């Protein structure tokens, strides 16, 4: 990497050479820094390569059929049944329950913090909301299993609600992503220029009317992106579902029943003694690939939403 | 612009006047007041959840315990405390009371008279007194429901005694794991967590800052000669790659953590096994087959790297450009400027970001399950190539067991984990404030 650049060659050669000197040390440093940036590319390539390669092995197995993998509803490796739908179904159930909790709570908190709260209240409440995001997920899993599930069982009866169920897991995942949605939405709401608010107040709108009919529509792209990011986080969440949602891949739409999610299944299978040649081992990569694709699509869509529907002012 | 309220839009063509207008305004303000209360309530929900969470943990980590012994120790020794007895008396006590088969087995291992005092006491505890937990009660039920518990115990376990138990104790921190919950501790898990954490920082910190410096300071610094066509082509590739890196880091931040675990399993545990098991350096004990501390730390480093890079980038971007220009103006090279001007100024932000990323790593469990944390280890980790377990894995393992006692020690371990997290965050704040003050002064 020899370095010399145009635009610096104007100096008179005889008196003083003002051209940028090639400095080997500086170039080496630039190379090293470039490489440490490149690690992130390696990580992505590594993920894609590892997931792809081991998934290929999985699908090459005579017991597996990619059509059945994507369309059948029984996942029982013992009898060679590999249909991923029960796992995807459980993941979606948990995520949707989580979103039903997190969207009203997160958006409510975001509107309050950005449109209503006086600076002093905001500075106390916001760190507390963010504190919830800092609690390790395994602690939430403990909370779901030892507090929320017994609570649900005492409300709906222990005959209806199993010890492991999607509802408890979903509710607590909702609590987990609420701060994420609140923070991201609040950023979007605060970015709306205050001129719009002033104009709305000037027309006689109340604070609530301004927030909901002026500020929220203006920030909608950011807010929706926040929802999608939250959804992606819920899909990838592992510890809460591993502890609270159960260890049986059921195809069920009943939130009171146990059902294993994709992440929960990966955690359970790899937690045991895993032989590298078994189909169990390659199956976690195939599930991982599906999970990776789902989150990738969600993240891509969220960026698309921001880009496409952003309202630009000033 | 839409009409402010549905009522207003219903009055076709003109706004309400006079009394109607006053009613309209009052109504809307009233509604606004209710909505504000509602929003405040959703925001306060976070506080409620935090409190319930803490209550739940404390309620489980402390409480009552009912223990029953096969024989009253005082009865056994004829009125003296066991610890008062001499070694010889302990041996006679055992010889008198042990069943002959048990005694023969023990004597075969090592004659009773040659055993240490602690060993003798342990045998007495195990074989004669046979202390056994018959009930575990949460703090609230121990405090407010003691009569019912006592009645219950008197009926089912007449010999049992009910006492207060704090599951978190100095012994809990300093003893290794055990299959008996009352003797189990988190020493190995705590040491494992610290090892993983330390190595994660060692790996991720330089890489993260390096990448951030690159993206902020060198991105537009073309390394090749623009005058030749080859140089221009190479520079174009360089720009492409840069854009890709920046985009890629944001994508990586959204990848679920368990995917990193799968990556770590395939790459660090399997592909790099000769290195990560320590075989290549003849460092490991050969039993861990790649499922080692170093594999875990490398996986964690990849996981926290995007967070460190993004926060460091923000810190570097916040350094005013005039400082850089002043440095260049004095003849400093690019690297001198970065090393002496930019980095010291960005350090508080970089450190805060790093510490926050690290505190995320402490609580992270899923990738380590996949990488292969062991759930039962009694010996301390001896170095980067030993098998490991970490605090969250231990909590996960204990929580997933059905017995009440394991729930209680899981809660105790959670308290330790939360205290660790809080202290790390406190350090972050202190470091940031200290560095900021120093820079100004």
């Amino acid at each position: 990497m020899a370095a010399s650049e145009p635009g610096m060659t104007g100096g008179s050669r005889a008196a003083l050479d003002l051209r940028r000197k090639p400095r080997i040390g500086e170039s080496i440093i630039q190379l090293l820094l470039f490489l440490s940036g490149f690690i992130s590319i390696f990580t992505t390539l590594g993920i894609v390569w590892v997931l792809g390669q081991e998934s290929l092995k999985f699908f090459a197995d005579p017991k597996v059929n990619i059509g059945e993998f994507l369309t059948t509803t029984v996942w029982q490796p013992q009898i060679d049944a590999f249909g991923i739908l029960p796992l995807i179904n459980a993941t979606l159930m948990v995520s949707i329950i989580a979103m039903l909790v997190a969207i009203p709570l997160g958006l409510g908190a975001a509107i309050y913090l950005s449109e209503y709260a006086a600076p002093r209240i905001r500075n106390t409440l916001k760190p507390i909301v963010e504190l919830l995001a800092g609690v390790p997920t395994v602690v939430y899993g403990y909370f779901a299993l030892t507090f929320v599930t017994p609570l649900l069982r005492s409300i709906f009866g222990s005959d209806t609600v199993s010890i492991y169920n999607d509802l408890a897991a979903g509710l607590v995942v909702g609590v987990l992503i609420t701060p994420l949605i609140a923070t991201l939405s609040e950023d979007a709401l605060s970015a709306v220029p205050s001129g719009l608010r002033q104009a709305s107040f000037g027309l006689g709108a109340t604070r609530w009317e301004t927030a909901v009919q002026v500020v929220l529509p203006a920030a909608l792209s950011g807010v929706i992106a926040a929802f999608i990011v939250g959804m992606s986080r819920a899909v990838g969440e592992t510890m809460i579902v591993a502890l609270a949602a159960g260890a049986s891949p059921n195809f069920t739409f009943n939130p009171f029943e146990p059902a294993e999610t994709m992440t929960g299944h990966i955690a359970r299978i790899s937690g045991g003694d895993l032989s590298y040649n078994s189909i169990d081992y390659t199956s976690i990569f195939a599930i991982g690939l599906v999970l990776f694709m789902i989150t990738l699509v969600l993240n891509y869509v969220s960026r698309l939403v921001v880009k496409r529907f952003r309202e630009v002012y000033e | 612009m839409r009409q402010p309220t549905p009522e207003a839009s219903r009055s076709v063509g003109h706004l309400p006047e006079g009394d109607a207008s006053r009613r309209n305004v009052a109504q809307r303000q009233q509604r606004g007041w209710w909505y504000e209360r509602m929003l405040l309530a959703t925001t306060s929900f976070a506080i409620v959840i935090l409190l319930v969470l803490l209550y739940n943990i404390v309620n489980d980590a402390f409480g009552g315990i009912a223990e029953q012994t096969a024989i009253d120790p005082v009865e056994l020794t004829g009125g003296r405390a066991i610890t008062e007895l001499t070694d010889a008396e302990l041996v006679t006590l055992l010889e008198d009371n042990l069943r002959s088969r048990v005694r023969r087995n023990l004597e075969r291992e090592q004659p009773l008279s040659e055993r240490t005092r602690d060993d003798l006491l342990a045998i007495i505890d195990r074989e004669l007194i046979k202390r056994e937990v018959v009930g575990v009660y949460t703090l609230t039920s121990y405090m407010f429901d003691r009569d019912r518990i006592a009645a219950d115990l008197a009926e089912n376990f007449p010999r049992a005694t009910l006492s207060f138990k704090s599951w978190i104790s100095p012994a809990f921190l300093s003893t290794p794991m055990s299959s008996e919950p009352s003797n189990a501790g988190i020493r190995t898990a705590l040491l494992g967590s610290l090892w993983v954490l330390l190595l994660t920082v060692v790996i991720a910190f330089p890489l993260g800052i390096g990448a951030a410096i690159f993206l902020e300071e060198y991105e537009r610094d073309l390394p090749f000669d623009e005058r030749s066509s080859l140089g221009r082509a190479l520079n174009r590739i360089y720009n492409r790659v840069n854009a890709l890196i920046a985009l890629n880091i944001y994508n990586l931040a959204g990848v679920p953590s368990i995917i990193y675990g799968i990556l770590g399993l395939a790459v660090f545990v399997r592909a790099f096994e000769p290195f990560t098991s320590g075989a290549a350096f003849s460092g490991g004990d050969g039993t861990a087959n790649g499922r080692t501390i170093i594999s875990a730390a490398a996986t964690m480093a990849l996981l926290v790297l995007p967070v460190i890079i993004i926060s460091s980038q923000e810190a570097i971007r916040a350094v005013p450009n005039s400082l850089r220009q002043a440095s260049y103006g004095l003849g400093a090279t690019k690297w001198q400027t970065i090393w002496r001007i930019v980095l010291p100024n960005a350090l508080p932000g970089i450190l805060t970001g790093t510490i926050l990323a690290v505190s995320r790593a402490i609580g992270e469990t899923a990738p380590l399950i996949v990488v292969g944390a062991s759930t039962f280890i009694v010996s301390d980790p001896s170095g980067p190539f030993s098998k490991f377990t970490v605090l969250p894995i231990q909590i996960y393992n204990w929580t997933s067991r059905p017995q009440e006692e394991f729930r209680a020690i899981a809660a105790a371990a959670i308290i330790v984990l939360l205290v660790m997290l809080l202290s790390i965050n406190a350090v972050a704040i202190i470091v940031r404030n200290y560095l900021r003050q120093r820079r100004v002064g």
Side-chain angles (χ1 to χ4, degrees), chain A residues 1 25-40, chain B residues 205-219 221 238 241-242 245 249 309 316 334-336 338-339 343:
Chain A
M1 278 202 187
E26 297 267 321
S27 297
I28 291 175
I29 286 170
Q30 183 168 2
L31 178 66
L32 286 178
L33 294 175
F34 175 75
L35 286 181
S36 55
F38 209 76
I39 291 273
S40 80
Chain B
F205 190 61
L207 284 178
I209 296 185
I213 294 174
F214 177 76
L215 289 174
E216 286 305 311
E217 302 286 324
Y218 283 94
E219 214 196 347
D221 211 36
Y238 178 83
V241 171
N242 287 346
I245 291 176
I249 287 168
I309 295 175
I316 291 172
K334 181 130 195 156
W335 178 246
Q336 284 167 339
I338 292 170
W339 187 248
L343 279 186

Side-chain angles (χ1 to χ4, degrees), chain B residues 186-259:
Chain B
I186 51 169
R187 179 193 172 92
T188 37
L190 210 54
L191 288 172
S193 273
L194 292 177
W195 264 107
V196 171
L197 195 66
L198 186 76
L199 288 176
T200 302
V201 172
V202 167
I203 299 170
F205 190 61
L207 284 178
I209 296 185
I213 294 174
F214 177 76
L215 289 174
E216 286 305 311
E217 302 286 324
Y218 283 94
E219 214 196 347
R220 281 163 297 280
D221 211 36
L222 301 175
F224 301 103
D225 194 345
E226 271 288 298
R227 284 166 301 187
S228 75
S229 60
L230 177 69
R232 274 200 300 278
L234 287 174
N235 279 337
R236 251 201 312 282
I237 295 175
Y238 178 83
N239 277 335
R240 287 261 173 78
V241 171
N242 287 346
L244 196 63
I245 291 176
L247 175 71
N248 190 45
I249 287 168
Y250 278 92
N251 271 332
L252 279 181
V255 172
S257 62
I258 196 162
I259 299 283

Side-chain angles (χ1 to χ4, degrees), chain B residues 76 85-98 103 107 112-113 120 124 128:
Chain B
L76 196 67
L85 300 182
T86 63
D87 287 10
E89 281 173 309
L90 287 175
V91 174
T92 22
L93 184 74
L94 279 170
E95 282 169 348
D96 291 347
N97 288 293
L98 278 178
R103 192 180 144 194
E107 293 275 12
L112 284 179
S113 47
L120 291 172
I124 292 177
L128 297 180

Side-chain angles (χ1 to χ4, degrees), chain B residues 3-16 24 27-28:
Chain B
Q3 295 289 345
T5 66
E7 282 79 35
S9 54
R10 239 176 274 134
S11 61
V12 187
H14 48 84
L15 291 166
N24 172 297
Q27 230 173 32
R28 283 164 50 214

Side-chain angles (χ1 to χ4, degrees), chain A residues 76-140:
Chain A
Q76 272 181 319
Q78 305 88 339
I79 58 162
D80 294 338
F82 295 97
I84 200 175
L85 286 185
L87 302 178
I88 293 185
N89 180 57
T91 297
L92 289 182
M93 290 255 299
V94 169
S95 310
I96 288 170
I97 297 171
M99 294 309 281
L100 290 180
V101 175
I103 288 183
L105 287 181
L107 188 57
I111 294 177
Y112 186 79
L113 289 175
S114 124
E115 304 301 315
Y116 283 84
R120 204 166 50 89
I121 297 175
R122 191 170 173 280
N123 291 342
T124 0
L125 279 181
K126 207 177 174 199
I128 294 178
V129 173
E130 282 167 356
L131 208 57
L132 270 185
V135 175
T137 56
V138 71
V139 178
Y140 279 119

